[in-house]
Amino acid sequence: LFTIIICAMALPKQVIVIPLAQEMTNFFHLNDTLWAVILPTVGWPFGVFLMKQFSETIPTEILEAARVDGAGELRTFITVVFPMIKPGIGALAIFTFVNTWNDYFLQLVMLTSRESWTLPLAIANLQGEMSTDFGLIMAGAALASIPIIIVFVAFQKYFTQGIAMGAVKG
């Protein structure tokens, strides 16, 4: 599994964008929707790797104690494991959001109509062939940074805990 994740992380998105676009259109019928941009990053290999490494920091003694107390797998996950991996989920949420928000190439391929364009696509479209209004582009770039700042502020506590806890293995 580890080798597959590393190989998937090494592949550039340009290699898989055509099969990915076909899957989003043929199987899921998500052509020209924001879900076609969001869903591919949910199973992002980096996220799987990060959560695997993070979950390995949970002591097995705690899981065994939950089983001895009579907790099943689901109850152990909800009451014991989930609170311990919240910082990792927060860090992953920030990484995934920023990656999705800034993924210009995937947005360009998946979103064809102007109505479904994201803010980065609309800002890029402001650059004209003959003239460019740099003031308008900079205002759009400042506006595009607001959602990233909001997500970071909302998950900042989990982000710093997640990075610190994921870096140290006991």
Side-chain angles (χ1 to χ4, degrees):
L1 178 66
F2 187 72
T3 307
I4 293 171
I5 290 173
I6 295 297
C7 290
M9 286 173 53
L11 283 176
K13 283 189 180 163
Q14 291 82 355
V15 173
I16 62 168
V17 75
I18 293 174
L20 189 59
Q22 289 175 340
E23 280 183 21
M24 290 296 135
T25 302
N26 298 335
F27 296 131
F28 302 112
H29 306 291
L30 296 174
N31 188 26
D32 200 28
T33 63
L34 290 177
W35 287 108
V37 177
I38 295 170
L39 287 179
T41 58
V42 170
W44 193 28
F46 173 74
V48 174
F49 177 73
L50 179 71
M51 292 311 296
K52 178 194 174 295
Q53 293 300 109
F54 201 85
S55 64
E56 285 181 352
T57 63
I58 298 172
T60 56
E61 292 83 11
I62 293 176
L63 301 176
E64 290 170 0
R67 286 191 191 99
V68 167
D69 288 342
E73 292 295 324
L74 183 62
R75 184 169 176 92
T76 301
F77 179 76
I78 292 171
T79 60
V80 177
V81 176
F82 186 71
M84 294 178 81
I85 63 170
K86 266 188 192 177
I89 293 172
L92 181 60
I94 291 175
F95 284 135
T96 303
F97 179 77
V98 170
N99 183 41
T100 304
W101 185 258
N102 291 330
D103 194 1
Y104 175 78
F105 182 70
L106 191 61
Q107 294 172 14
L108 185 64
V109 171
M110 297 292 189
L111 306 175
T112 55
S113 68
R114 285 180 170 252
E115 293 79 28
S116 62
W117 277 0
T118 59
L119 202 51
L121 279 180
I123 292 169
N125 195 44
L126 291 175
Q127 187 170 354
E129 189 174 322
M130 298 297 185
S131 67
T132 302
D133 186 357
F134 289 107
L136 187 60
I137 291 174
M138 290 305 292
L143 185 65
S145 69
I146 291 173
I148 294 175
I149 293 169
I150 290 171
V151 167
F152 183 76
V153 168
F155 288 100
Q156 181 180 9
K157 176 178 124 182
Y158 296 119
F159 181 74
T160 52
Q161 287 178 352
I163 296 302
M165 290 175 66
V168 179
K169 187 167 181 181

